[in-house]
Amino acid sequence: MMALVRAENITKIYGAVTARSKEDVTSGAVATRALNAVSFEIEPSSFVSFVGPSGSGKTTLLNLIGCLDKPTEGKLEVAGVDVLHLSMRQSASFRGNNLGFIFQDFNLIPVLTVHENVEYPLLMVQNVPGGQRRERIFAMLEAVGMVDQKDKYPDQLSGGQKQRVAIARALVANPKLVLADEPTANLDHKTAFLVLSFMKKLRDELETTFIFSTHDQKIVGEAEIIYSLEDGELTGKQVKAGKENA
Amino acid sequence: MLNLFKIAVRNLLRYKRRTLLTASLISLGVVFVLLFVSVTGSFKSMMIGQMTDSMLGHLQVHRKGYLAAIDNLPLNLNLKTPSYRKLEKILSQRPEVESYSPRIKFGGMFSTFVETTNIRLNGVYPDLELKTVPLLASRVTDGADDGTLNKGEIWVPELMAKSMKLSVGDTVVIVATNQDGSVNGKQFGVSGVLESVTGPGGRDGYIHIEDAMDVLRMSEMEVSEIAIRLKDFGRLHAFTEDLSALLAGERNNQGKPLFEVHNWESLSPFYNIARLIDIMTFFIKLMLIAVVLISIMNVMIMAVYERIREIGTIAAIGTLPGKILSLFVLEGLSLGFLGVVTGNILGYFIIAVLNASKISFNFGRQTGLVLSANIDWMDMLTISVIVILISVVASLQPALKASKMDPINALRHV
Ligand SMILES: Nc1ncnc2c1ncn2[C@@H]1O[C@H](COP(=O)(O)OP(=O)(O)OP(=O)(O)O)[C@@H](O)[C@H]1O
Ligand SMILES: [Mg+2]
């Protein structure tokens, strides 16, 4: 089976000295090596977590996989596309068609209702026709248990409810891959587990691949494949029983 | 239903007070410009109407060189009969011409047998003159019997009538020197007192053209000027050019041009006032543009700055830069639109109230002119289109900034 994400020796250096600006930088800016020759492959419909202490490079890595940023060195393929050479516009449309995002701070659009927030990717990014739209929004809202709140605005919801709406928004357009950078960092434990259970349930139903990052050891246990990051290096891979060669 | 426009409007409603303040500023600007444009515009067309319809006519034809010497009313620069006939033939064939009126203008002595003074006179065919300058009839304040000017009658300017204590029915004598230097006099009965109007010729007396020929001992008719009225005043410039071109071909024996054509603009000093009004209108529109540009730009720069994380979010989930751009441009446009619509409605009502309250003003020696401000729909449309265009221009820079934002930096923004 073809890997959904294939990373080969990807390195990310912030403040990297480019050929052109070499002279200017010699004295000043210190370059940070946030990722150092990281390689891994992620199979479709897996439930993967990157863990590591603060500053270990989790966000950096997820940004690279999410086509929001580009590695300084190395090769990166997502859904069979070499994402290194996409333009800004191409990246945007690649993200819109293939990826879903869940953010630590929920990032719902405050002027839109729950229903409209979930509708946003279908309408503004993918141009899905009206009838189909309503069906899919309803199915997603039902999956995360938010149907009865659909006309509320984000500021009328609790954190857990917001993140459930965010999950619905990330999945409504049927992405191949959902990226979640510390999706539970702003939630209490009970809610965090609930949110993760919704993610897992949707993975089971839709066979979407989930990659999330966390520094919370208890949450990590929910993942099926766990990569450990330390100082920008991949230091371990743990596969939960029954998932190997699944 | 969810679309860009709806999101833009909701975003505007997010800070209701700010939106309201900015929209009212734009509305106020629109109201002010509308008021200024319609009041000055109406004033202008009223004054032009007064001038052209009570004395000048829309345009005039003279013998070449006459206008430069008009202060002396030079009889030797009159159009001779053949020239006049030629001109008459041309004018009667032009469909644009409503009517024309030949005038003999001359200066003379005016005596009441008690007092004597100087007077400037127009000899006219009363029916042609009244067709060409229809408001002349309304200037006859102290009129006699039928309101026309029969042979042997004179319409005396108001100021002269007052100072010489003349009234309708009195007898006066006009004495004038003709081109050859011979002096002649004739008695007239006063049949009307003429209200003065501002501008050249606004204080002239009127007699019948045949009386004028009599006094000046003309054997054949000579004409000082021909006043022309058009069916459509809007075609004035085109017609002036046409006629000038047509008459330029008419030469005298020495091959010099015979005629000169002038429209009211070169005949009346009010034209400069009209021009000044146009220039002021232009600057006031410019001010409106500045107000709209600065206020909308200010709001949109703020809006983009406040929403950096939101912009990062929608960019991350795949909204194309063009859509983000349209979102913010639409927001600025909606703000401008709100201002324009309320401004137009408000302006319309204020002008209606202004008209209903019948404010009057004086101009020169004319008193009690009632101000009637007409809203020109074309003006309203132009102003609205300008404001909306400027709203778009003003939001373009902030919107471009939003659309080019790097999603990672935007999402990290605190
Ligand atoms: N935009 C940036 N410019 C410069 N250095 C950066 C930038 N973003 C991250 N870094 C550096 O890269 C390293 C990895 O950062 P990253 O945000 O990926 O860590 P993280 O694992 O997500 O940490 P946390 O758990 O605190 O979110 C850190 O040393 C950080 O200081
Ligand atoms: Mg992080």
Side-chain angles (χ1 to χ4, degrees), chain A residues 4-16:
Chain A
L4 186 67
V5 181
R6 179 179 291 135
E8 238 176 80
N9 288 318
I10 52 172
T11 296
K12 176 70 187 179
I13 303 170
Y14 287 111

Side-chain angles (χ1 to χ4, degrees), chain B residues 6-52:
Chain B
K6 190 164 157 187
I7 300 178
V9 170
R10 293 234 190 119
N11 276 322
L12 277 179
L13 294 177
R14 211 156 157 177
Y15 299 96
K16 291 197 184 66
R17 196 177 310 180
R18 182 169 78 192
T19 302
L20 211 69
L21 277 174
T22 312
S24 355
L25 183 64
I26 296 168
S27 300
L28 232 83
V30 170
V31 167
F32 189 69
V33 172
L34 269 182
L35 235 90
F36 186 85
V37 166
S38 61
V39 169
T40 54
S42 307
F43 170 76
K44 215 176 80 179
S45 53
M46 191 161 103
M47 293 318 296
I48 293 170
Q50 282 279 326
M51 233 150 286
T52 56

Side-chain angles (χ1 to χ4, degrees), chain B residues 99-144:
Chain B
S99 64
Y100 57 89
S101 172
R103 295 168 176 168
I104 298 174
K105 296 171 90 81
F106 65 101
M109 299 247 288
F110 177 87
S111 173
T112 61
F113 304 102
V114 181
E115 278 180 273
T116 302
T117 184
N118 293 320
I119 190 171
R120 297 158 62 98
L121 286 166
N122 290 304
V124 296
Y125 290 113
D127 49 337
L128 290 181
E129 183 71 10
L130 285 172
K131 255 200 209 158
T132 309
V133 287
L135 286 182
L136 179 63
S138 68
R139 283 174 59 201
V140 182
T141 50
D142 195 5

